[in-house]
């Protein structure tokens, strides 16, 4: 059994450890990269959107019978590029798509996957499913208002917290405004598709000689963070619970994230440490 300690604390510490050899990395991503994690398991890292908004990573897990994807990204064009890549790797259908949490840079590509793979099961924890349904459509609709807000910040030369903008910050806001139009145009081509399968604490799936364990172990980055674990390969996907160079705590639950003393209702589950 896994020791009765906080998995999220362990993940946070592990994230600090694994960032040491990639210290040249940055908080922004300009290139689309693919990393083979194991046989028929791939991570796709997406470039930031043209307005600098981040796009979550996607993991593709191919079994003997079907495929499971973790997170569907932000832009429909990015999701479609991932689908095109998956079809080069395998002729098997994407049967399952897991949304690790509600942030729409991890979920707005849901509809693109559903159009490509009719009958796909889109999975989320109960809280995540509800927030996606209640909040995300409005958040996407409000997205174009970023332009007015950013122009106001530039005109006043003050950030939201009142501090005077640095030269680098001004350039970031200017870049975001210039790149906003193509992002909004893409968002208008899709809608936020709500997951059609939800779970409370755990869900197990077999893709064909490739078991997948899907777990909710408590609040952290959001109220419904889902982690996906491959017991054979000992690969753990954490969504935004672990981020480089530091965890997201905006609107999250930092106390829950680092002090949780129970990892799962299943005592036989052995998560990877990094």
């Amino acid at each position: 059994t896994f020791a009765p300690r906080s998995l999220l604390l362990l993940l946070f510490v592990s994230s600090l450890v694994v960032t040491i050899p990639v210290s040249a990395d940055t908080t922004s991503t300009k290139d689309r990269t693919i990393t083979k994690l194991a046989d028929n398991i791939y991570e796709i890292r997406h470039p930031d959107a043209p307005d600098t908004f981040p796009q979550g990573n996607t993991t593709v897990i191919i079994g003997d019978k079907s495929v499971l994807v973790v997170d569907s990204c932000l832009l429909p064009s990015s999701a479609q590029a991932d689908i095109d890549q998956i079809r080069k790797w395998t002729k098997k259908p994407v049967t399952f798509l897991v949304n690790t949490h509600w942030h729409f840079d991890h979920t707005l590509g849901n509809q693109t996957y559903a159009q490509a793979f009719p009958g796909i099961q889109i999975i989320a924890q109960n809280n995540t499913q509800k927030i996606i349904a209640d909040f995300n459509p409005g958040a996407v609709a409000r997205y174009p208002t970023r332009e007015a807000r950013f122009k106001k910040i530039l005109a006043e030369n003050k950030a939201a917290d009142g501090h005077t903008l640095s030269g680098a910050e001004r350039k970031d806001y200017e870049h975001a405004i210039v790149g906003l139009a193509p992002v909004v145009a893409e968002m208008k081509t899709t809608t936020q598709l709500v997951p059609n399968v939800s779970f409370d604490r755990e869900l197990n799936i077999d893709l064909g000689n490739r078991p997948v364990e899907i777990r909710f172990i408590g609040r952290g980055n959001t109220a419904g963070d889902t982690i996906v674990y491959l017991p054979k390969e000992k690969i753990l996907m954490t969504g935004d619970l672990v981020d480089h160079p530091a965890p997201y705590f905006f609107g999250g639950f930092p106390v829950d994230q680092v002090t949780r003393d129970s990892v799962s209702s299943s005592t036989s589950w052995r998560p990877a440490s990094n």
Side-chain angles (χ1 to χ4, degrees):
T1 60
F2 189 75
R5 57 181 295 185
S6 171
L7 173 61
L8 297 182
L9 177 58
L10 175 60
L11 291 174
F12 175 69
V13 173
S14 298
S15 73
L16 299 183
V17 173
V18 300
T19 58
I20 292 174
V22 291
S23 57
D25 200 0
T26 67
T27 55
S28 61
T29 307
K30 296 181 179 179
D31 300 311
R32 184 177 186 271
T33 58
I34 297 174
T35 302
K36 185 176 181 179
L37 304 178
D39 185 37
N40 282 327
I41 303 172
Y42 303 90
E43 180 212 27
I44 304 173
R45 184 177 181 183
H46 304 99
D48 293 343
D51 66 343
T52 74
F53 201 87
Q55 298 198 87
N57 297 340
T58 291
T59 305
V60 180
I61 306 163
I62 303 170
D64 289 346
K65 296 180 180 179
S66 62
V67 180
L68 181 145
V69 169
V70 180
D71 286 335
S72 63
C73 198
L74 172 72
L75 298 177
S77 60
S78 295
Q80 187 59 56
D82 293 350
I83 290 168
D84 294 342
Q85 179 63 64
I86 292 168
R87 286 174 166 158
K88 293 178 182 178
W89 286 328
T90 180
K91 296 184 182 300
K92 301 179 184 73
V94 177
T95 307
F96 305 100
L97 168 61
V98 177
N99 290 156
T100 58
H101 58 295
W102 62 266
H103 294 162
F104 54 78
D105 62 307
H106 296 254
T107 69
L108 198 56
N110 286 2
Q111 180 169 282
T112 305
Y113 275 89
Q115 290 171 340
F117 303 100
I120 190 172
Q121 302 295 293
I122 304 177
I123 302 167
Q125 199 273 342
N126 293 339
N127 292 319
T128 295
Q129 182 192 48
K130 185 176 188 305
I131 296 172
I132 289 174
D134 293 347
F135 179 80
N136 282 22
V140 173
R142 291 189 297 273
Y143 197 87
T145 65
R146 288 164 60 87
E147 181 175 8
R149 287 188 286 112
F150 291 174
K151 285 183 174 179
K152 183 175 186 291
I153 288 171
L154 286 172
E156 297 176 352
N157 201 36
K158 290 187 180 296
D161 64 2
H163 78 264
T164 301
L165 296 178
S166 67
E169 287 173 324
R170 288 193 64 87
K171 287 183 179 179
D172 286 342
Y173 279 109
E174 290 166 356
H175 186 187
I177 291 170
V178 170
L180 184 63
V183 176
V184 172
E186 276 215 55
M187 286 182 170
K188 289 180 179 179
T189 68
T190 190
T191 58
Q192 175 62 80
L193 189 62
V194 179
N196 55 2
V197 176
S198 65
F199 71 98
D200 182 19
R201 287 286 172 177
E202 60 183 69
L203 181 66
N204 296 326
I205 293 173
D206 190 347
L207 302 176
N209 199 33
R210 178 149 274 162
V212 180
E213 299 179 4
I214 302 169
R215 299 288 186 269
F216 169 66
I217 58 174
R219 302 185 307 181
N221 179 54
T222 70
D225 295 296
T226 293
I227 58 177
V228 179
Y229 180 59
L230 304 179
K232 284 187 176 182
E233 296 80 11
K234 293 184 170 57
I235 295 174
L236 180 66
M237 287 135 278
T238 63
D240 278 352
L241 284 171
V242 178
D243 286 284
H244 172 82
Y248 284 118
F249 283 138
F250 311 107
F253 304 87
V255 174
D256 293 41
Q257 183 156 342
V258 299
T259 61
R260 183 157 305 284
D261 56 10
S262 174
V263 299
S264 174
S265 59
S266 172
T267 58
S268 63
W269 178 49
R270 292 175 177 268
S273 60
N274 54 46

